[in-house]
Structures are given as structure tokens and as C-alpha cells.
Amino acid sequence: MPHKTGLFLFNNDLRLHDNEALTLAAAQVDQLICVYCVQTTQSSATLQAPSSLSPHRQVFLAQALSDLQTSLKKLGQHLVVTTKSALEVIPQLITVHNIDHIYSSVSPGYYEQKNWQTLAKRYPFIGFHRLDTHTLFHRAQLPFAVEKIPDGFSKFRKHVESLSINLPLAAPKQLPPSPVSASTWKNLPYSLVQAPLFEGGEEQALAHLEGYFSTRLASDYKLTRNGLDGMDYSTKFSPWLANGNLSARQVIHCLKLYEQEQGANDSTYWIYFELLWREYYQWYGHCHGKKLFRVSGIKTVKPKTSFYAERFQKWCSGNTPYPIVNACMKQLNSTGYMSNRGRQLVASCFVHELGLDWRYGAAYMEEHLVDYDVASNWGNWQYLAGVGADPRGHRRFDLNKQTLTYDPHQVFIKQWAGHQFDTHLDSVDAADWPISR
């Protein structure tokens, strides 16, 4: 029987545990090429490729890939890392190595789906296999067609909340060898230095997962989740979930074990509730595709907005008349992370107080957040901008009231110097004319 050669395309599944697509590949082929394509230019808003990454995102990704490389080497494998696009490198590998099967995890990203569909049409004689590893549920489990996803989270939750969730898979004990020499490929084009808050990689993800549930933090989660700073007010699973160093099913499994040992309450349920929010946006991304990046979102009417370059730059640097927003933006720029409460406040400010095109704000978050997830990021921005899945329209937050509620003594604002800003928001008008004072 002739040998079968497979190719595994890693994307948002940088792990060995609970990687159903990788497990399938290991079982079906005799040789396997593991590939990761680093894309560093163009914005998702152009529907082409991910935007340039901030140093924080670069470091986190570099650490995740380095960790994956180490894990693969223990199984006699290695990762082919290339700065070429999948549409460039995969045809080369198909030609040289006579590939029979190509495997990948399903991604909600329009760019990734478009590439996959292009390759599948171009090579109909090759078996293309994609599995749902980035979500809690498989597509076939959903009680509705993805194209008919409910038009709001509450309806979605009622449909899926009681569905069973598969147990996470163990890591493969062995992988087929690679026919590609490791010395052929260049190293990752990012410097590998220590990130301020999070260290990327499956090993760190599993350590954090175990560490979190070894404490009682989960039992108080609902009471603390709106914190603005620190490591303990929220689970902090999101960076590793975004890169796929950790699966949502692994989190749920550990959560259920915790509830069995420590007891279930509103707080432990709320962790599941927010994973369902994440789940909703993954399928939302699959449903709406390129509409995720359209100014009118999934609506038919464009929001009334404009673009003021000076306002945008002040928002980015944390130099607006809104101290709580400034503090959040300075925190983001310094650490690559921002609380969920902070993300809602800076987005509301961007859309409502500054009157800017929401897509520029979403693209800035894409560049900087270490836990950037294409569906969650762009879906949530649509939600705040009133062009997404929100039957009540725009979500505008009273920034003064929010400050009194979540930072009443301005500890967070003072820590990040949010009170330091220019007196005037605009020094020029929209036509770039100086404004007299």
C-alpha cells in the first residue's frame, strides 16, 4: 500500500491537547508536514490578512509557536514556520511532496476561510478535512443552520445552553514523521523576549488553567469580573483561548471538576455563560463572513460617523477628555491587555463621544490585544456601534457614572495617569483648519 502524506495547517489551534484535527491527521497518514503561516501586513478590515502585530502580540505568538515546536520535537516532528501565505506555500509543498490530505481547524476568520476554499477548489483530488476545535460545540450539534443563527445572544443561549460538551481529547502520543527538513525553513521573524503579563504557549496555558481552579477565585468570579486591573478579578483564559493554546472544552472540563469539588454557584455558572458569549461570536463570524468588517455591519443602514485623525490619535494614546478611557488605553498600550469592562467603555467613547468610524477602533484592538480573536473583537465592536446583533441598537455608556461605579476613588485612573490629557479634544476641524480658541 502506498504511503499517504498529509499536511496540517495550524492557525488558531496552537496546541497538542484537545486538537481533534491533529489527532485525525495522525491516524490517517504515514507522513505529516506541520505548517504555520505568519502574516504581518494588511488589516482584516480590508478582508485580506491580519494587520501588523504590536510587540506584545508578536512576543505572545512567538512564545506560543516556540512552545509548540518544542512539543512537536518530543514526538519526532517539527513546525514549518513561513512568512508566505497559505496560498503560496501549500501549493509548493503539494507539488514537491505529493500530498494526499490537508487538515486544519475551522476558523471563523473570513481570510482563513477564503484561503481554504480556494485551495479546496484548486486541488479537488486532495482530501480536505476541517474540524471544529475552536468552539465548544461542533457545527453538527447546533440545533439550527449556522446561516440562520439567532439574531441575539439570549436566543442563542436558550438553544445551546443544555447541549452536551465533549470531553477534551488527550494529546497524541505519536505523530507521523515529516518529509520536510527542519533546516530548510527560517526562524520566526519575531524576537523572543518576555511579555509583561502573559507567556504564550500550551504549557503556560495548562499551568494557568490548573492554577486558577486550584484557588477559590471561580466561586467569586461574578462579583469581581468587572475589575479594571490585576490578575485575579477575571479568569484570564482569553489570551490562550485566542491563540488556541487552550480549548474552550478544556476550560469547561476543569470548571465542572471544580464545581464537583467546591460546589456550583452563580459565579461558576457565569464563567460558562461568558464562554457561551464567546461561542456565539464564533458562529456569528461564520454566518456573516465579510459583513464582520463592513461599516454597516450586518445591518442595511450605515451609521452616521466620520473620521477625525486627531481624535483617533488621542484615543489611541489615551489623551481624551475622559480619564477612565485614557487609563484603559494606556494600560492596553503598555501591557497588550485590557479588561472587558474597559473594552466596552473605550468602544462606547470611540463611537458616541468621538463620533469615529467603529472599524478603526476594532482594527486598533486587533493590532494590540494579546487575546485578539477575530470574531469576538469585530462582533463586540459591531454590538457597541449598533450595527451588530443587538436589538436595542447603540450601547452608550455614561463614562462619569461608570467611573463612579468601577473606579470611585480613581485608583485605576491615577495608576495609569488617565487624568493627564490635553484640555481641548480638537485643535483642527475636520477639514484640517486650525480651530480658534
Side-chain angles (χ1 to χ4, degrees):
M1 183 179 294
H3 285 288
K4 292 183 179 180
T5 300
L7 183 150
F8 189 90
L9 180 63
F10 281 97
N11 47 67
N12 55 355
D13 56 353
L14 304 180
R15 64 180 185 274
L16 300 187
H17 289 81
D18 199 33
N19 193 331
E20 195 174 356
L22 184 62
T23 300
L24 178 65
Q28 290 187 338
V29 299
D30 305 294
Q31 298 182 114
L32 184 65
I33 304 171
C34 296
V35 179
Y36 183 84
C37 299
V38 178
Q39 299 286 335
T40 58
T41 59
Q42 299 179 305
S43 170
S44 285
T46 67
L47 307 183
Q48 298 298 316
S51 66
S52 57
L53 309 184
S54 69
H56 298 294
R57 280 201 68 189
Q58 290 182 19
V59 169
F60 191 76
L61 175 60
Q63 291 170 336
L65 292 172
S66 177
D67 178 81
L68 180 60
Q69 184 74 278
T70 299
S71 298
L72 289 172
K73 284 183 177 179
K74 292 177 181 177
L75 299 180
Q77 258 286 351
H78 64 269
L79 187 65
V80 172
V81 178
T82 173
T83 55
K84 295 180 180 179
S85 73
L87 291 181
E88 291 179 275
V89 71
I90 290 180
Q92 296 173 10
L93 292 170
I94 289 173
T95 300
V96 174
H97 298 284
N98 193 27
I99 289 170
D100 302 288
H101 297 275
I102 297 180
Y103 305 85
S104 187
S105 294
V106 175
S107 169
Y110 177 77
Y111 166 75
E112 290 82 3
Q113 292 190 54
K114 186 178 179 182
N115 275 357
W116 183 263
Q117 292 163 3
T118 299
L119 288 168
K121 289 180 181 178
R122 190 179 296 177
Y123 299 99
F125 52 88
I126 292 177
F128 282 80
H129 314 273
R130 287 198 305 172
L131 281 78
D132 299 310
T133 69
H134 199 58
T135 50
L136 285 171
F137 310 113
H138 289 93
R139 179 183 292 251
Q141 288 181 273
L142 299 176
F144 47 78
V146 172
E147 296 74 22
K148 297 185 180 297
I149 188 172
D151 59 2
F153 169 70
S154 295
K155 294 179 183 178
F156 172 83
R157 180 173 62 86
K158 291 177 182 177
H159 279 292
V160 305
E161 192 169 24
S162 61
L163 294 179
S164 61
I165 298 172
N166 293 341
L167 290 173
L169 298 174
K173 294 183 178 180
Q174 59 183 21
L175 290 172
S178 175
V180 177
S181 170
S183 61
T184 305
W185 302 88
K186 297 179 180 180
N187 293 324
L188 187 70
Y190 299 143
S191 60
L192 192 59
V193 296
Q194 183 63 41
L197 285 181
F198 307 100
E199 184 175 349
E202 183 177 19
E203 182 179 358
Q204 290 298 319
L206 294 176
H208 179 74
L209 182 66
E210 181 181 358
Y212 181 80
F213 284 113
S214 69
T215 70
R216 293 279 300 172
L217 292 172
S219 297
D220 297 323
Y221 173 74
K222 193 175 181 181
L223 302 175
T224 64
R225 65 189 176 89
N226 281 310
L228 296 172
D229 210 359
M231 290 297 292
D232 292 343
Y233 67 85
S234 64
T235 66
K236 300 297 190 297
F237 296 142
S238 59
W240 294 287
L241 284 170
N243 269 1
N245 306 146
L246 188 67
S247 78
R249 286 189 281 261
Q250 287 174 292
V251 176
I252 289 296
H253 179 62
C254 288
L255 174 63
K256 295 302 180 185
L257 292 177
Y258 177 89
E259 289 181 327
Q260 291 173 15
E261 296 174 1
Q262 304 295 335
N265 64 9
D266 285 348
S267 286
T268 58
Y269 166 76
W270 213 255
I271 294 175
Y272 176 50
F273 179 88
E274 294 196 345
L275 282 172
L276 288 181
W277 258 111
R278 175 186 180 273
E279 186 79 3
Y280 176 63
Y281 278 123
Q282 303 308 308
W283 298 113
Y284 179 92
H286 284 296
C287 174
H288 296 295
K290 62 183 179 181
K291 290 182 181 179
L292 208 59
F293 314 107
R294 200 172 63 174
V295 63
S296 57
I298 66 172
K299 307 294 187 182
T300 56
V301 180
K302 295 180 180 180
K304 294 180 180 179
T305 185
S306 186
F307 182 73
Y308 299 86
E310 184 178 13
R311 291 186 183 186
F312 176 66
Q313 289 300 325
K314 286 185 175 181
W315 179 85
C316 292
S317 61
N319 188 24
T320 74
Y322 310 101
I324 191 73
V325 171
N326 297 341
C328 288
M329 295 305 298
K330 289 178 180 179
Q331 178 191 44
L332 171 66
N333 294 331
S334 178
T335 68
Y337 188 79
M338 185 191 300
S339 69
N340 181 63
R341 175 60 51 178
R343 296 177 202 204
Q344 295 180 68
L345 299 185
V346 301
S348 177
C349 175
F350 192 93
V351 172
H352 298 290
E353 316 307 330
L354 304 183
L356 298 171
D357 184 332
W358 67 271
R359 295 173 300 171
Y360 288 90
Y364 190 80
M365 292 296 185
E366 175 179 354
E367 181 181 350
H368 289 270
L369 285 171
V370 293
D371 63 350
Y372 169 76
D373 175 283
V374 60
S376 295
N377 181 69
W378 290 83
N380 271 301
W381 271 87
Q382 287 191 354
Y383 183 83
L384 266 297
V387 296
D390 183 1
R392 288 186 285 174
H394 280 49
R395 292 300 179 98
R396 185 172 191 165
F397 289 89
D398 183 325
L399 297 176
N400 290 327
K401 183 178 179 180
Q402 292 286 311
T403 300
L404 290 173
T405 301
Y406 297 108
D407 192 27
H409 305 295
Q410 300 202 2
V411 174
F412 176 70
I413 289 173
K414 291 175 183 176
Q415 179 179 346
W416 291 102
H419 56 284
Q420 298 177 9
F421 56 88
D422 290 345
T423 305
H424 302 288
L425 180 61
D426 300 309
S427 62
V428 296
D429 66 15
D432 210 27
W433 285 88
I435 295 176
S436 59
R437 302 296 182 190

